[in-house]
Amino acid sequence: MGAMSAVRKWVQTILALAANGSWTFPWTKMIYQGPLKVICSPGLNCYSCPASTTYCPIGALQQLLGGIRMALFNGQYFFGLYIVGTLGVIGAFVGRMVCGWACPFGLIQELLHKIPSAKFGIPRWMRYIKFAVLLIMVIILPLFAVDKMGIGSPWFCKHLCPAGTLEAGIPLLLMHPNLRATAGWLFLNKLMFLVIFLVWSILASRPFCRTTCPLGAFYAMFSKVKMIKLRLDPELCTNCRACHKVCPMGVHFNESPEDTECISCMACSRACNFGAIHLEFGGLRLGESTIKQPVVNNKNILNSSRGIS
Amino acid sequence: MTVKKDTIRHTPFILALFFLIMVGVGIYFKEPSRVMHQAWQICLSCIGIG
């Protein structure tokens, strides 16, 4: 494991613990109710998790959109601007780097993928599902599928979110035996999705992030414009495709350096022997190129090795 | 080999400012308090229980 990979693992672990830093729940049987819950969790982290110290932007946004009629009726202008604004600031700075460095559920998937087994890819078209999940389950249904009181449900949390089941549903059922009788088909349905994604994570790399995560879909919209991102130096790239083999998100970085799936984990940067991939901040290159092989003219070297003159 | 000169991209800064203003408007409407109160409560049906 390279130094940067170790740093990333530490950052992921520390941020996961920071977002879930309230460990009094085994005694209190309560979730954390302190002032830190006004802070947005950058990654997907259920705020009903007993240890959670931050709010989940996807859950909070659905709740606000679902209650928008009631709020307006009471003269409260809760449109989700605070939440979308916070996500937008994060997106403008780092975009999906959050997925690679700060998402607890991303970390869980990465750890599961280390379990030895046959490994499979994920069809490219499945990346578009998450945009539909964001639009339909997080925005449209909570906003328009309302009950007689005019209140919408958080559809994504209620019917799909595996992070919520793992971090909140299961711990709460374990902590409160009296709740177990109320766990019906809805919970079984969500449990099924959790099991599917956990098993899928062993067989394929980050399946939830790549196919379903609405938060990842939101951050993906910043991939071309975010401040900190990986940049390809076409002068140094030999198209050797070393970056294809190591990417946990199935990105072909030399072909699409601004791919919406890139989580800036820097696996490609480490794998590139020609120093063609590096970080940039707002257009300015960060750090010096670390070329692992002498560069005279990379393209000519590669062509000559292929017998092309 | 030609070396390209780095140029500062302004778009991310403008976007960050735009969203920062959005956060400010949200704070003006007292949205953080609402978000915090939501996060203090366990929504059982939201997590598939009840």
Side-chain angles (χ1 to χ4, degrees):
Chain A
M1 188 161 68
M4 186 54 77
S5 181
V7 168
R8 192 170 71 88
K9 278 284 170 288
W10 273 106
V11 172
Q12 284 177 298
T13 307
I14 289 166
L15 290 178
L17 290 174
N20 296 287
S22 175
W23 287 92
T24 55
F25 67 87
W27 298 276
T28 63
K29 310 280 183 194
M30 297 286 290
I31 66 169
Y32 169 74
Q33 293 181 322
L36 291 175
K37 274 219 165 151
V38 78
I39 298 170
C40 176
S41 164
L44 198 73
N45 191 65
C46 184
Y47 58 27
S48 288
C49 169
S52 175
T53 48
T54 52
Y55 78 84
C56 169
I58 293 297
L61 184 62
Q62 290 170 90
Q63 292 276 17
L64 278 192
L65 294 177
I68 203 165
R69 288 169 182 79
M70 191 65 87
L72 283 172
F73 185 75
N74 293 322
Q76 298 165 318
Y77 301 100
F78 298 151
F79 302 118
L81 295 178
Y82 174 67
I83 302 163
V84 176
T86 307
L87 287 181
V89 172
I90 297 169
F93 271 93
V94 293
R96 288 199 80 178
M97 198 173 195
V98 167
C99 310
W101 292 75
C103 181
F105 201 66
L107 174 62
I108 290 168
Q109 290 173 86
E110 275 188 13
L111 294 176
L112 284 171
H113 195 60
K114 289 184 186 298
I115 296 173
S117 75
K119 304 296 179 191
F120 301 91
I122 295 175
R124 191 180 162 81
W125 62 267
M126 293 186 85
R127 61 167 60 188
Y128 300 108
I129 295 172
K130 60 180 170 288
F131 295 98
V133 170
L134 173 65
L135 187 67
I136 297 168
M137 297 190 87
V138 176
I139 299 170
I140 293 177
L141 288 174
L143 203 51
F144 297 109
V146 295
D147 62 16
K148 286 176 186 170
M149 298 287 286
I151 297 171
S153 289
W155 283 71
F156 174 72
C157 299
K158 192 172 177 177
H159 298 283
L160 184 54
C161 184
T165 312
L166 184 66
E167 296 167 6
I170 293 173
L172 286 172
L173 285 179
L174 291 174
M175 270 173 23
H176 301 281
N178 55 327
L179 281 179
R180 289 173 199 165
T182 60
W185 285 108
L186 194 61
F187 183 74
L188 286 177
N189 187 49
K190 282 198 66 182
L191 198 60
M192 181 190 73
F193 279 119
L194 172 65
V195 171
I196 287 171
F197 280 114
L198 293 184
V199 173
W200 199 3
S201 297
I202 298 170
L203 304 173
S205 175
R206 287 179 167 259
F208 181 74
C209 310
R210 291 164 74 177
T211 65
T212 316
C213 182
L215 194 53
F218 183 85
Y219 290 140
M221 292 188 277
F222 294 86
S223 58
K224 287 191 195 308
V225 293
K226 63 188 175 184
M227 213 169 284
I228 300 173
K229 62 179 180 177
L230 287 174
R231 185 163 78 181
L232 179 75
D233 191 338
E235 292 291 331
L236 295 174
C237 179
T238 60
N239 291 317
C240 68
R241 298 180 183 178
C243 52
H244 295 205
K245 292 168 194 158
V246 294
C247 181
M249 299 293 281
V251 174
H252 295 172
F253 195 80
N254 65 322
E255 293 162 11
S256 57
E258 291 180 336
D259 199 294
T260 54
E261 296 299 288
C262 177
I263 57 171
S264 303
C265 66
M266 301 182 70
C268 55
S269 177
R270 287 192 304 278
C272 181
N273 281 325
F274 302 98
I277 302 169
H278 51 84
L279 270 178
E280 68 156 54
F281 179 86
L284 303 176
R285 182 182 181 137
L286 291 176
E288 290 300 308
S289 172
T290 51
I291 299 168
K292 295 164 196 164
Q293 288 186 3
V295 180
V296 181
N297 186 328
N298 290 329
K299 289 201 168 83
N300 286 350
I301 292 168
L302 198 74
N303 287 345
S304 61
S305 70
R306 288 171 179 162
I308 304 165
S309 60
Chain B
M1 183 163 58
T2 56
V3 178
K4 271 194 255 175
K5 195 183 171 191
D6 284 350
T7 50
I8 295 174
R9 290 184 294 112
H10 296 288
T11 322
F13 295 96
I14 295 165
L15 264 178
L17 183 66
F18 170 77
F19 283 109
L20 211 54
I21 292 167
M22 202 182 261
V23 171
V25 175
I27 292 171
Y28 176 78
F29 287 132
K30 297 183 173 58
E31 226 176 59
S33 166
R34 173 76 179 139
V35 169
M36 192 165 67
H37 281 93
Q38 279 176 356
W40 282 353
Q41 293 157 9
I42 303 170
C43 173
L44 291 176
S45 64
C46 305
I47 51 175
I49 305 170

